[in-house]
Amino acid sequence: MDEVRRRAQSLLSSSGSAQDVKAEVQIMASIPLPPSEKYRHFTAEAMLRENTAGRSRQEVLDSLSRLVKALSILEKYGCNLTCPARPRYWRSVKHNNPVFRTTVDAIKGGRTVLYLYGYTNQQIDGLSFPEEVTEPDIEKVAAVTLEVMTLRTEVDTLIKGTHPHLENFKDIIPFVIQQDKLLSDAVVILPGEEQQHGDEPQVLSPSPKPSQVLVHRQPLKPLTGSPAASDCNLCGGTVSLLCPSCDNKPFCDACDDLFHRHPSRANHKRDRVQSSKQETCTICGLSTVHAQCSTCVQRLCLKCDRLFHSHPDRKGHNRTVITPAKTSSPSLSPWECAHCTTVNEMRAVLCTTCERPRLATAASTVQESSLSVPTSPNTEWQCKSCTVMNQGSSILCEVCERPRLATRPPVAPLLSSPGSLSDAETKWTCQFCTYVNTKPTVVCEMCSLACKDSAGVSLPRSLLQTPSITKDQPQLGERPQLMPRVNLELKRQKKMREDGLNLIHQIREAEKRGVSPEEMYAALCMCGGSNINPCDWLTSELPHLLDEICAMAASVQLNYKAGDTEMQSDTVERDGEESELSGPVVAGEGVKLSRAEAKLAWLAAGGDTDRAVRQLLRDRQVKMRELHSLGFRDVSQCEEALRLSGGEVKGALSLLQRPLLEPFHQHIWTDQPEPPIDPKHPDKQRMCRRLLALYDLPSWGRCELILSLLQEPGVTYSLEDVVQAVKESHDKDFIRRLLNNECPCCLCIFPRSKMQSLTSCQCSVCHECFGQHFTIAVRDKHIRDMVCPVCSEPDINDPEQLDSYFSTLDIQLRDCLEPDVYELFHKKLTEHALMKDPKFLWCCHCTSGFINDGDQLKVTCPSCRKSFCAQCKKPWEPQHQDLSCEQFQQWKRENDPEYQRQGLAGYLRDNGITCPHCRFQYALTKGGCMHFSCSQCRYQFCSGCNNPYHKTGCKTAQCSYTGLHAHHPRDCLFYLRDWEPPRLQALLQRSGVEFNTDASNGAQTDACGVMEQKDEAGQQTDSPCGIQTQPGQAGLCEKHYREYLVSLINAHSLDPAALYDAQELTRACERYQVDTQRGESEDDKAYHTRLLVKLMEVPLGEKVPRNK
């Protein structure tokens, strides 16, 4: 027991699923231990005794059923606590839950189990865990839950009568245990012994020897006419069958149907036990038993069963119809198919193998032939589908549930005497409804169908041709010829069709004039025999008729009040029943009726004036009683209200309530403002009621929580903020955290409901700071500057993250920005989307952009109307026509005096910085800081290799740096700007690349004239370099001369690793994650040569500008 308990407790603690421990619970429930030893945490004996109080067995079983339901709910509470994914509101159990009230709270000991789970804190509306408890005791909850599941299983088996150890509960619930226990110790007296003992008294006692017990318990083969051997093996009822395949176990009809429905026992052959004496009803003791009720353990006859189970409390009882024993019924046992010899179960109608129907046996054929004779309604009948013999009172077959088929009623034989006038000649029977009609009618008085008798004698004499005695007399043996019949049915149907079409035509014409079909039908009843148009009659005569109906109803009501019983019986009586006109419904001179009520009554009566008067009085009486039940006792006021409202109860109720609501209306429309809710008001209940009326709060406890929070010292939040926080949670600490949040921008305290955050980060700012930040960003900054004001997230260089960010930001800014600012934001967002189009171009003369659909080099800006090259983004010149951009640059170097005067400064300007994101070109050099920020798209990149700069962590493998950084290739200006000019010249000379050392003719030689971006007084401006030039550097300063040499290296894709020393080689290999492990006995030269070969296998920068 302890091992199974520990294993089940471990499984339940880890999974929290009852299915995982189902097998262990079954084992624990079947262990033969008394409840006092099996259940350690709660007293199961006391719970069973307290919940099984009852005077009868049925009451005890009902109490046990309620206990099983309550234990199932407690089991779910325990599994929820042990489940890793506990529900949201696991800390409390509410008493106002209807399931809790009808199950756990309805039994004794239910709250004790909840205390064991940990629900020890008593609240106004339920139980909860103490505030200091953050997690439930999983081990204890699992142990208690296992005992609850075990007790539920045992009680369930007790109710079903299948508990293996009933002796453990005989002192706890003896009433049920004693009745469920089978009389297994009774001695069966053999037929031979019965004759020997004669009339001597016999004592049924257990046999002292086991061998004798075995002999007495041997199954007896039932003989014809012998009584039943014992009670049913399952339910203890009267035995009707014995199964030799099941060791001759006895069964009743219901248990046999259930037990042998299993596929392994469906082919068993059972023997019918013949009962010499039929059992009588347990109530009247006279009639034969018709049904057995398993709920109230009663065996009743048909009449007592209907009377006893007509009570509302016993309508749902499960009853089984007991079929009397029949010797000739072959359908109570499995049947063998006549085609494929497959043995099928009793309920089967078709064979399971060949799917052919069950054929009637010889015995059933005899019975069917006998059934053709007229029998009484209580005679047994055989089903035409499955051949089962059913009781005469049953309508559906007990096996296949198919209806009983009606047989043709017997027809009396015709009299052969020609001279006598018999009933066959004066009456005829309808073949459709079996009604006996009298001649000479040829249409049935019940179903209005014509006579279809095949014999000529069933027709009236007026329709028969008088045969000639000499010529037309039929000879002996000849069959009489059928006489022609008048087709009256066809004429009747034709007449009905014409009347129906005429009625439909009149209704359609009336609908065109706004008359309903009901009004049209009633008008036709009033003026059907005249030539008056029904629609015209409704307009001219109906109002007078309604007034007449109202006057007649008022007259009847006055006569009733005066006690004129004769008038009452003539006008109020309908269908032989007297209408009830009692109660306080009349007063004054007479009833006050309206035309609307009279019209409804007239339509309901189908145009009958007398019926309309009675219907009008009945409707008015019902309405008066309804108003009387609502508290309005003044009959005259109710009559007047119904008259003014046209007979509508809602309208009359509105009129009657208007004077009563007048003080309330005056209070609502008064100019005095409603006093605010004071949390320190002495009348606490009044404040709670006002909170419930003004705010949609879930419970009274939440109102008290609001008042307690507002009464705390140093409170700065408003009532609305507290109400919003209390609606979200009932935890006071969590509510305090919701109400106290500091804005990182203005450092003020706000509730969570007045804070706003972006989807890209977890920062929260107040609504005012949020709106001001994005208003300034939209008006004065680039669209890529619209990031979080606290952490500057998200990263603007990630296009996927940026697109999703702007889609959600648009929804947030819609409500917090002014309309003109929001429109400007949409304009910038549109420009940002257009920049992703490959046909989008920035003008080199102005800051405008547009989409170029053409394929020519020369494009014209639609804003400034100036032309430039679509490929090199240089101002357009006539010499560029029919020349590529490289050819045009070479022509300028050779022929343009201004370009020659600028020298290499012009070369560096023409090969300036191009934004890799929006392709906007800057006529600036790359010297100085390599971190460049595009003024058009705010893209941050390296001006030497065009790789992006990352503000936080990047997606590069093995990179753990979270600050501002970029990943530069080894041929980037970021590394080569530290080389001396002679070293760079040596790299170019090694590859045979020419470079300049002298300034061009006419170029300035005193100061460097290369344009670069400078930060002056916080503003980014473009101005010449101005540094003194050095000889042998082509009229440039040393910084820009290095840039010139590196541009040649990049243009010819030269690898600088060829000139690395040992330290630079090792550092570059570590940067590119090249294996730098030195081999055994490897000298420095071989080691460096091997590293150089591996390093040069790493490709150069892909985005490095390589313009020639």
Side-chain angles (χ1 to χ4, degrees):
M1 177 71 180
D2 294 337
E3 182 180 356
V4 176
R5 189 193 304 271
R6 285 194 298 271
R7 183 170 69 251
Q9 184 174 344
S10 176
L11 289 173
L12 189 61
S13 302
S14 59
S15 66
S17 175
Q19 289 295 121
D20 297 343
V21 296
K22 186 176 181 180
E24 286 75 7
V25 170
Q26 293 289 346
I27 296 174
M28 294 171 63
S30 61
I31 293 177
L33 288 177
S36 59
E37 299 179 9
K38 186 179 295 186
Y39 300 96
R40 301 176 180 176
H41 292 83
F42 59 89
T43 56
E45 293 184 3
M47 183 178 291
L48 289 174
R49 285 194 178 95
E50 293 173 354
N51 291 282
T52 54
R55 298 181 180 179
S56 63
R57 181 174 183 270
Q58 184 58 38
E59 293 181 359
V60 175
L61 291 177
D62 293 341
S63 301
L64 291 178
S65 299
R66 289 192 296 270
L67 180 60
V68 169
K69 293 180 181 179
L71 292 176
S72 300
I73 300 300
L74 292 172
E75 174 187 331
K76 293 180 180 179
Y77 279 126
C79 292
N80 288 338
L81 292 177
T82 57
C83 182
R86 285 190 291 273
R88 182 178 180 183
Y89 302 104
W90 63 271
R91 296 185 60 87
S92 62
V93 176
K94 300 299 181 182
H95 291 169
N96 55 3
N97 188 348
V99 178
F100 181 85
R101 286 202 311 268
T102 57
T103 55
V104 179
D105 232 12
I107 66 169
K108 297 179 180 180
R111 295 200 180 188
T112 304
V113 178
L114 292 177
Y115 290 152
L116 294 175
Y117 283 160
Y119 295 101
T120 58
N121 190 12
Q122 183 72 32
Q123 293 185 352
I124 298 176
D125 55 349
L127 299 173
S128 67
F129 276 81
E131 294 184 359
E132 62 272 9
V133 176
T134 59
E135 295 289 336
D137 189 355
I138 303 298
E139 299 296 331
K140 182 178 179 181
V141 172
V144 176
T145 306
L146 282 176
E147 294 191 358
V148 171
M149 298 169 66
T150 306
L151 181 60
R152 178 187 60 78
T153 305
E154 289 202 74
V155 175
D156 193 18
T157 54
L158 286 176
I159 296 174
K160 298 178 180 178
T162 59
H163 197 286
H165 307 289
L166 296 175
E167 64 274 4
N168 295 331
F169 298 89
K170 63 182 179 179
D171 297 332
I172 303 175
I173 44 177
F175 186 76
V176 177
I177 301 304
Q178 290 176 3
Q179 296 210 11
D180 286 343
K181 185 176 180 181
L182 298 176
L183 299 177
S184 60
D185 297 333
V187 179
V188 180
I189 300 176
L190 298 176
E193 296 176 355
E194 184 179 1
Q195 295 176 0
Q196 293 175 6
H197 289 287
D199 298 333
E200 296 180 2
Q202 301 174 6
V203 180
L204 298 179
S205 60
S207 177
K209 295 181 181 181
S211 62
Q212 295 178 0
V213 175
L214 293 175
V215 171
H216 288 287
R217 290 187 178 182
Q218 288 179 356
L220 300 176
K221 184 73 175 181
L223 302 176
T224 305
S226 62
S230 62
D231 293 335
C232 177
N233 185 50
L234 297 179
C235 67
T238 303
V239 174
S240 59
L241 294 168
L242 284 177
C243 183
S245 302
C246 300
D247 297 332
N248 283 340
K249 290 183 179 180
F251 299 94
C252 63
D253 287 337
C255 296
D256 174 72
D257 184 17
L258 180 64
F259 186 78
H260 287 94
R261 192 181 299 176
H262 194 275
S264 62
R265 297 186 288 268
N267 298 330
H268 289 188
K269 295 283 186 178
R270 278 92 73 194
D271 297 76
R272 171 67 63 178
V273 175
Q274 302 299 326
S275 177
S276 60
K277 181 179 179 181
Q278 292 184 347
E279 188 176 1
T280 59
C281 176
T282 56
I283 294 181
C284 65
L286 299 176
S287 303
T288 307
V289 174
H290 166 72
Q292 178 180 358
C293 181
S294 59
T295 307
C296 57
V297 196
Q298 297 276 3
R299 300 173 69 84
L300 309 173
C301 63
L302 179 60
K303 295 183 179 179
C304 295
D305 176 64
R306 291 178 179 175
L307 180 62
F308 184 77
H309 287 97
S310 63
H311 194 275
D313 296 341
R314 296 188 285 269
K315 282 187 176 180
H317 287 192
N318 185 15
R319 308 190 296 283
T320 304
V321 178
I322 299 177
T323 306
K326 299 178 286 292
T327 58
S328 62
S329 177
S331 59
L332 293 177
S333 60
W335 56 277
E336 184 176 2
C337 180
H339 297 275
C340 61
T341 68
T342 299
V343 179
N344 301 276
E345 60 179 355
M346 176 182 65
R347 288 182 175 271
V349 179
L350 300 178
C351 178
T352 57
T353 303
C354 62
E355 296 184 354
R356 293 183 178 177
R358 181 178 185 177
L359 300 179
T361 58
S364 63
T365 307
V366 173
Q367 294 173 4
E368 183 179 0
S369 62
S370 64
L371 287 176
S372 61
V373 181
T375 57
S376 64
N378 294 327
T379 307
E380 295 182 354
W381 58 278
Q382 187 180 31
C383 179
K384 298 297 183 180
S385 300
C386 62
T387 70
V388 169
M389 296 298 298
N390 300 274
Q391 295 184 9
S393 60
S394 61
I395 300 175
L396 300 179
C397 179
E398 297 179 6
V399 177
C400 64
E401 296 183 355
R402 296 189 178 182
R404 178 179 183 178
L405 300 179
T407 58
R408 185 181 298 273
V411 181
L414 298 175
L415 296 177
S416 59
S417 176
S420 61
L421 187 62
S422 62
D423 291 342
E425 296 179 355
T426 60
K427 297 181 180 180
W428 59 277
T429 303
C430 181
Q431 296 294 323
F432 300 98
C433 66
T434 69
Y435 180 75
V436 179
N437 301 272
T438 59
K439 298 180 180 180
T441 58
V442 294
V443 178
C444 179
E445 298 180 7
M446 290 291 107
C447 61
S448 300
L449 295 177
C451 172
K452 293 188 178 181
D453 215 350
S454 59
V457 293
S458 55
L459 292 174
R461 296 182 182 271
S462 60
L463 299 178
L464 293 176
Q465 296 180 1
T466 304
S468 175
I469 298 176
T470 59
K471 297 181 179 180
D472 298 336
Q473 183 70 26
Q475 300 295 328
L476 293 177
E478 292 183 1
R479 186 174 181 180
Q481 298 294 328
L482 294 178
M483 300 301 176
R485 285 182 287 179
V486 180
N487 198 345
L488 299 179
E489 174 65 18
L490 185 59
K491 292 183 178 180
R492 185 180 65 84
Q493 292 182 359
K494 183 178 180 180
K495 183 69 168 65
M496 291 176 60
R497 182 173 180 274
E498 292 176 355
D499 294 342
L501 293 176
N502 187 24
L503 179 60
I504 292 174
H505 175 72
Q506 291 179 345
I507 289 176
R508 290 177 177 175
E509 292 296 330
E511 287 180 346
K512 295 179 180 179
R513 301 177 60 176
V515 178
S516 64
E518 293 80 5
E519 294 176 346
M520 188 64 188
Y521 177 76
L524 285 174
C525 294
M526 294 296 298
C527 58
S530 62
N531 296 327
I532 303 176
N533 190 349
C535 296
D536 297 337
W537 183 90
L538 288 171
T539 305
S540 60
E541 301 298 331
L542 181 60
H544 303 290
L545 179 62
L546 297 179
D547 293 338
E548 182 180 352
I549 292 175
C550 293
M552 293 173 61
S555 176
V556 171
Q557 192 70 23
L558 287 176
N559 293 335
Y560 172 77
K561 182 183 177 183
D564 190 353
T565 57
E566 182 180 359
M567 177 63 73
Q568 174 186 349
S569 61
D570 291 340
T571 58
V572 183
E573 186 178 355
R574 181 186 181 187
D575 297 334
E577 296 181 2
E578 186 176 353
S579 177
E580 298 179 358
L581 292 174
S582 59
V585 296
V586 293
E589 298 179 355
V591 64
K592 301 176 181 179
L593 300 170
S594 63
R595 285 186 179 179
E597 294 178 271
K599 184 175 182 180
L600 292 177
W602 179 69
L603 292 176
D608 191 346
T609 305
D610 295 336
R611 289 177 56 194
V613 172
R614 294 193 293 268
Q615 184 68 30
L616 179 58
L617 290 175
R618 278 192 293 268
D619 294 344
R620 172 54 68 92
Q621 189 177 17
V622 172
K623 296 172 184 176
M624 290 294 294
R625 286 175 180 171
E626 184 176 355
L627 294 176
H628 180 73
S629 65
L630 295 175
F632 298 98
R633 304 290 180 175
D634 194 341
V635 180
S636 60
Q637 291 184 1
C638 295
E639 293 280 359
E640 182 65 20
L642 285 173
R643 186 186 67 82
L644 295 176
S645 62
E648 293 185 1
V649 179
K650 292 184 178 180
L653 190 62
S654 177
L655 294 175
L656 292 173
Q657 288 178 341
R658 187 172 300 170
L660 301 177
L661 295 176
E662 188 63 27
F664 180 71
H665 292 163
Q666 295 296 334
H667 176 68
I668 290 177
W669 296 108
T670 185
D671 295 335
Q672 296 180 359
E674 189 73 18
I677 296 178
D678 186 8
K680 298 181 181 180
H681 195 278
D683 193 351
K684 185 178 179 180
Q685 291 189 356
R686 181 183 179 186
M687 296 296 103
C688 290
R689 287 194 297 269
R690 291 192 59 190
L691 286 174
L692 286 174
L694 295 177
Y695 305 99
D696 188 14
L697 294 174
S699 64
W700 184 273
R702 299 291 179 96
C703 300
E704 294 180 343
L705 180 60
I706 292 174
L707 296 179
S708 63
L709 289 171
L710 292 175
Q711 291 175 0
E712 293 181 353
V715 173
T716 58
Y717 26 80
S718 63
L719 173 63
E720 287 73 14
D721 297 338
V722 178
V723 170
Q724 185 66 26
V726 169
K727 285 183 179 180
E728 297 181 10
S729 174
H730 60 84
D731 190 353
K732 187 176 288 187
D733 295 335
F734 180 73
I735 293 173
R736 290 194 185 99
R737 291 194 297 270
L738 289 179
L739 294 174
N740 294 276
N741 294 273
E742 184 183 30
C743 176
C745 295
C746 61
L747 303 180
C748 296
I749 303 299
F750 295 94
R752 180 69 60 83
S753 60
K754 294 184 178 179
M755 302 285 286
Q756 193 165 358
S757 60
L758 297 173
T759 58
S760 59
C761 61
Q762 302 297 326
C763 305
S764 296
V765 295
C766 64
H767 291 314
E768 185 177 357
C769 295
F770 187 87
Q772 290 182 358
H773 167 72
F774 283 101
T775 299
I776 296 174
V778 170
R779 286 178 175 174
D780 304 336
K781 298 182 181 180
H782 193 267
I783 192 170
R784 285 178 170 263
D785 294 329
M786 302 184 67
V787 294
C788 177
V790 181
C791 62
S792 299
E793 287 290 334
D795 185 8
I796 61 174
N797 291 329
D798 189 351
E800 297 181 0
Q801 186 178 1
L802 193 64
D803 293 339
S804 61
Y805 168 71
F806 277 127
S807 62
T808 55
L809 181 64
D810 183 23
I811 301 175
Q812 291 180 298
L813 297 182
R814 187 176 303 165
D815 298 328
C816 66
L817 295 181
E818 296 294 333
D820 55 341
V821 181
Y822 183 72
E823 184 179 357
L824 180 60
F825 166 72
H826 259 276
K827 183 178 179 180
K828 290 188 175 184
L829 193 63
T830 304
E831 293 180 355
H832 171 72
L834 289 176
M835 288 169 54
K836 299 179 182 179
D837 195 329
K839 296 182 179 181
F840 183 81
L841 297 177
W842 287 107
C843 179
C844 65
H845 302 284
C846 63
T847 59
S848 300
F850 59 95
I851 294 179
N852 179 30
D853 293 330
D855 53 355
Q856 299 180 356
L857 292 178
K858 181 182 179 181
V859 293
T860 303
C861 175
S863 298
C864 64
R865 310 304 301 175
K866 295 183 179 180
S867 301
F868 61 94
C869 178
Q871 184 175 353
C872 62
K873 309 298 187 299
K874 300 296 188 299
W876 184 259
E877 297 183 16
Q879 292 79 10
H880 201 330
Q881 190 71 30
D882 299 332
L883 294 179
S884 63
C885 296
E886 291 78 8
Q887 294 174 350
F888 176 66
Q889 292 296 327
Q890 183 66 28
W891 178 86
K892 290 193 68 174
R893 295 191 196 102
E894 296 175 355
N895 302 291
D896 190 356
E898 182 64 23
Y899 193 88
Q900 294 175 354
R901 187 183 66 83
Q902 294 178 359
L904 292 181
Y907 172 81
L908 293 178
R909 182 195 63 196
D910 293 339
N911 294 276
I913 302 173
T914 302
C915 176
H917 185 263
C918 65
R919 301 181 302 278
F920 190 82
Q921 289 191 348
Y922 298 89
L924 303 173
T925 60
K926 304 174 184 178
C929 181
M930 307 299 296
H931 180 199
F932 192 84
S933 179
C934 179
S935 62
Q936 299 296 322
C937 63
R938 290 297 192 271
Y939 187 72
Q940 302 180 31
F941 60 96
C942 172
S943 60
C945 60
N946 289 339
N947 284 344
Y949 265 88
H950 304 280
K951 292 183 179 180
T952 56
C954 63
K955 299 180 181 179
T956 305
Q958 306 298 329
C959 178
S960 59
Y961 192 73
T962 58
L964 182 65
H965 69 287
H967 296 277
H968 308 278
R970 60 180 179 273
D971 60 339
C972 178
L973 180 63
F974 182 80
Y975 297 116
L976 297 181
R977 64 181 176 177
D978 296 332
W979 286 21
E980 295 296 332
R983 191 179 184 187
L984 295 173
Q985 293 175 352
L987 180 61
L988 292 171
Q989 291 174 356
R990 182 176 180 178
S991 300
V993 178
E994 298 180 356
F995 54 89
N996 295 333
T997 56
D998 298 328
S1000 59
N1001 296 331
Q1004 298 179 358
T1005 58
D1006 52 349
C1008 181
V1010 178
M1011 301 295 293
E1012 61 182 4
Q1013 192 178 66
K1014 297 182 179 180
D1015 189 1
E1016 298 179 357
Q1019 299 291 332
Q1020 299 290 334
T1021 59
D1022 300 337
S1023 60
C1025 174
I1027 301 178
Q1028 187 68 32
T1029 60
Q1030 301 294 332
Q1033 294 182 355
L1036 301 175
C1037 63
E1038 184 176 353
K1039 177 180 65 175
H1040 290 117
Y1041 187 65
R1042 292 179 183 179
E1043 180 182 348
Y1044 162 69
L1045 296 177
V1046 171
S1047 65
L1048 294 177
I1049 294 174
N1050 292 334
H1052 293 83
S1053 301
L1054 303 181
D1055 195 342
L1059 300 181
Y1060 281 174
D1061 55 15
Q1063 184 178 2
E1064 291 175 337
L1065 183 61
T1066 305
R1067 189 177 302 170
C1069 290
E1070 292 175 353
R1071 187 165 59 248
Y1072 288 104
Q1073 299 179 6
V1074 177
D1075 186 15
T1076 58
Q1077 186 68 26
R1078 182 188 291 269
E1080 296 182 0
S1081 66
E1082 186 178 14
D1083 55 357
D1084 293 343
K1085 184 177 181 181
Y1087 172 66
H1088 293 153
T1089 303
R1090 182 171 57 84
L1091 289 182
L1092 181 60
V1093 172
K1094 289 185 178 181
L1095 179 62
M1096 296 185 70
E1097 293 177 357
V1098 179
L1100 300 176
E1102 298 178 356
K1103 299 181 181 180
V1104 175
R1106 305 191 185 279
N1107 297 327
K1108 296 182 181 180

